[in-house]
Amino acid sequence: MVSEERLEVNSTVAGVGSATDAPHASRVSRTGILARLRGPEAVPTGLLLGALAVGLLAITPLVYIILRAAGADAGGWSRLLGARVPGLLANTVALVISVAAFTAVLGVALAWLVERTDLPGRRFWRWGLAMPLAVPAYVGALCYLILFRRGGLFEQALIQWGGFELGQVPLPPIFSLAGVTIVIGLFTFPYVYLPVSAALRSTNQTLEEAARMSGRGPWSTFASVALPLAMPAILAGVLLVSLYVVSDFGTVSLLRDRTFTTAIYTPFTGDIDRSGAA
């Protein structure tokens, strides 16, 4: 008897609720249908014109390069493809891969230390590790040249206080692939550190705690849980670093590395072969 009364009350309440919600649901459905019929809202004319103007300004150099390259003769193409381009491509790709690997390891390691350990001064390091982005890489390269080139401050200090002779001081090989990689990487690793750090902060740490409770060690937990979750951020940061390396001119020219940017600059500015440079 009691159960029958409860069923009647529940059915009555459900009927009242459905009757009350019916107009609201119909309004929502009508709103959705009207939105689909109207389609997306029209772009304001001023915003559209502004976007077109910015787009035209952005592609102007590309259009000039394409038109200039189209004016190159067959001899210029054969010289470029036969001798210069393969070597420049190999040097550029090697530099991109080495800097990408270096910044990926450094950026992920620093992000893990800041976000997952009791590193002293974590609040300072969280933003302090982004400060290298405020220093242009070519300025950093110039500083390292002043310090570690032959006759630089490092060699002078060792000659004066260490008893070395001129030319006997062992110096780091900054005029090499490893030297260029380290110099550029030290000023571009925040492109990886920042997104990975943000990804680790937003990741639920209970997943890592569950892995540790199941018997996994710190390295196994990092490789199986944290690293896959942070992989999209790592790839995004590595992509930014790679694009920076391809476009960098000041650092590679100061450190005497032959890449596409240094090879393009001389004929393009010296009016020697602008079509070949393009």
Side-chain angles (χ1 to χ4, degrees):
M1 204 52 198
V2 176
S3 60
E4 292 179 357
E5 291 177 357
R6 288 179 178 175
L7 289 173
E8 291 178 0
V9 171
N10 291 336
S11 62
T12 303
V13 172
V16 172
S18 60
T20 305
D21 294 341
H24 177 68
S26 62
R27 286 196 300 271
V28 172
S29 61
R30 284 197 299 270
T31 303
I33 292 173
L34 292 175
R36 292 190 184 93
L37 291 176
R38 285 198 302 265
E41 295 186 4
V43 180
T45 304
L47 182 60
L48 179 61
L49 294 176
L52 289 175
V54 173
L56 289 174
L57 289 175
I59 66 171
T60 297
L62 181 61
V63 172
Y64 172 79
I65 290 172
I66 293 174
L67 295 177
R68 192 79 192 195
D73 55 6
W77 281 105
S78 62
R79 288 192 301 272
L80 288 174
L81 298 178
R84 303 194 66 189
V85 170
L88 293 173
L89 180 62
N91 292 343
T92 304
V93 170
L95 184 61
V96 169
I97 293 175
S98 61
V99 175
F102 177 74
T103 54
V105 173
L106 184 60
V108 172
L110 292 175
W112 176 265
L113 286 174
V114 172
E115 302 299 334
R116 289 293 188 267
T117 67
D118 56 350
L119 181 71
R122 289 176 57 194
R123 301 184 67 177
F124 166 76
W125 294 115
R126 182 167 288 170
W127 61 265
L129 288 172
M131 292 303 293
L133 292 180
V135 181
Y138 72 89
V139 175
L142 188 59
C143 294
Y144 282 112
L145 281 175
I146 295 173
L147 288 172
F148 297 115
R149 68 181 177 182
R150 187 61 66 186
L153 297 180
F154 180 73
E155 185 179 38
Q156 292 177 15
L158 289 182
I159 291 173
Q160 183 175 356
W161 293 306
F164 287 88
E165 297 292 335
L166 184 64
Q168 294 181 349
V169 177
L171 298 175
I174 56 176
F175 297 107
S176 63
L177 177 62
V180 180
T181 297
I182 293 174
V183 171
I184 296 180
L186 289 176
F187 293 93
T188 57
F189 77 86
Y191 288 120
V192 178
Y193 160 75
L194 289 174
V196 174
S197 180
L200 291 177
R201 280 199 303 272
S202 62
T203 301
N204 192 349
Q205 296 189 32
T206 56
L207 299 175
E208 300 171 24
E209 294 172 358
R212 294 297 300 273
M213 292 176 64
S214 65
R216 292 181 180 269
W219 287 107
S220 179
T221 301
F222 170 76
S224 61
V225 180
L227 190 62
L229 293 175
M231 189 56 67
I234 296 172
L235 295 178
V238 169
L239 176 61
L240 291 176
V241 171
S242 301
L243 294 175
Y244 180 92
V245 174
V246 171
S247 64
D248 181 76
F249 169 75
T251 308
V252 293
S253 62
L254 285 172
L255 299 181
R256 305 173 190 173
D257 192 21
R258 295 288 293 172
T259 60
F260 275 117
T261 53
T262 56
I264 289 170
Y265 178 78
T266 301
F268 206 41
T269 57
D271 202 14
I272 300 173
D273 184 13
R274 289 189 177 180
S275 295

